[in-house]
């Protein structure tokens, strides 16, 4: 088990372009989360999946953002028509689901997006 | 709205000394969970310690302990015998468990441990 991985680690794109990020959670973790972290701030929740079902989306997730987890394993986060305000670190986390209660979220290294 | 506030943007401590990081939160729920996460420079976030709100006993993990004051909605982190490797951003976070999976984070405290 190598932990949560994210690809790419860094992405520089021009305003208006589309970008896609990938997250591979820890195997057998049912839940997968996406967060966005801007400089000087804590991570902000974007969306999460339980298996392949997207259970919750933040109002931060505008229509330009879409996330998928087609087979309940890896997930992708796509941003269409990027804007400079999208520049941030995008973090992925996963957790097991072993019943009620809360379970530790394990974070990946993040994808740093810079929109020029 | 649920919020988490960390009022100390930056702190420093001498190696081997003790430091306390503050966190307050606001929620109308009675059952929730609180966490401290550590994010070292250019490295990924890891869990330091967690506290279930229904437990009165303060959580402890080796050199890390919390002071959980439920009525005051306060959740501070004490680091004893500070080490250089403790240098990091520390985030306080709130979660409700069950179907509400997401963490609500504070803005963080940048801790520098000086030799």
């Amino acid at each position: 088990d190598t932990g949560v991985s994210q690809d790419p680690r860094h992405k520089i794109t021009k305003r208006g372009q589309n970008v896609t990020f990938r997250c591979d959670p820890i195997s057998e973790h049912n839940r997968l989360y996406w967060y966005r972290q801007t400089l000087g701030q804590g991570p902000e929740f974007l969306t999460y999946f339980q298996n392949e079902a997207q259970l919750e989306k933040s109002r931060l997730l505008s229509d330009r953002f879409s996330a998928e987890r087609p087979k309940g394993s890896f997930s992708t986060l796509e941003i269409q028509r990027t804007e400079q305000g999208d520049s941030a670190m995008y973090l992925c986390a996963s957790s097991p689901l072993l019943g009620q209660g809360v379970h530790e979220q394990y974070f990946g290294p993040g994808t740093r997006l810079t929109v020029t | 709205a649920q919020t988490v506030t960390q009022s100390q943007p930056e702190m420093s401590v001498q190696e081997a000394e003790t430091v306390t990081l503050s966190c307050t939160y606001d929620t109308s729920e009675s059952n929730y969970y609180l966490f401290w996460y550590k994010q070292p420079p250019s490295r990924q976030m890891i869990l330091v310690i967690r506290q279930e709100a229904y437990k009165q006993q303060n959580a402890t993990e080796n050199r890390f302990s919390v002071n959980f004051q439920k009525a005051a909605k306060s959740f501070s982190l004490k680091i004893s015998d500070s080490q250089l490797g403790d240098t990091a951003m520390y985030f306080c976070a709130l979660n409700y468990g069950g179907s509400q999976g997401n963490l609500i984070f504070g803005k963080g405290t940048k801790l520098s441990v000086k030799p």
Side-chain angles (χ1 to χ4, degrees), chain A residues 27-52:
Chain A
S27 58
E28 299 176 357
H29 275 193
N30 306 86
R31 286 190 171 178
L32 186 148
Y33 310 81
W34 286 99
Y35 294 86
R36 180 173 68 187
Q37 185 178 20
T38 54
L39 200 61
Q41 302 292 320
E44 296 174 297
F45 169 72
L46 293 177
T47 188
Y48 93 93
F49 294 83
Q50 183 166 306
N51 300 314
E52 64 274 11

Side-chain angles (χ1 to χ4, degrees), chain A residues 14-113:
Chain A
K14 293 183 185 297
R15 188 177 54 187
Q17 297 294 307
N18 298 344
V19 294
T20 300
F21 310 140
R22 176 181 171 124
C23 171
D24 287 88
I26 294 172
S27 58
E28 299 176 357
H29 275 193
N30 306 86
R31 286 190 171 178
L32 186 148
Y33 310 81
W34 286 99
Y35 294 86
R36 180 173 68 187
Q37 185 178 20
T38 54
L39 200 61
Q41 302 292 320
E44 296 174 297
F45 169 72
L46 293 177
T47 188
Y48 93 93
F49 294 83
Q50 183 166 306
N51 300 314
E52 64 274 11
Q54 189 172 17
L55 293 189
E56 192 172 346
K57 292 193 292 186
S58 163
R59 53 188 166 81
L60 292 176
L61 209 67
S62 75
D63 291 344
R64 297 184 297 105
F65 288 69
S66 63
E68 294 183 343
R69 193 182 184 198
K71 296 183 180 180
S73 56
F74 72 91
S75 176
T76 58
L77 177 68
E78 181 183 16
I79 309 174
Q80 297 182 326
R81 305 181 302 282
T82 52
E83 302 172 356
Q84 287 188 321
D86 296 332
S87 295
M89 177 76 84
Y90 290 84
L91 298 171
C92 177
S94 70
S95 72
L97 182 61
L98 303 171
Q100 291 303 310
V102 72
H103 307 286
E104 179 181 348
Q105 294 186 22
Y106 296 79
F107 283 81
T111 294
R112 181 167 296 283
L113 173 66

Side-chain angles (χ1 to χ4, degrees), chain B residues 38-56:
Chain B
K38 169 185 177 181
Q39 188 176 39
S42 301
R43 294 182 62 188
Q44 59 207 75
M45 198 168 312
I46 57 173
L47 179 66
V48 175
I49 197 166
R50 59 182 273 180
Q51 174 81 43
E52 290 86 349
Y54 61 85
K55 290 186 177 179
Q56 293 186 338

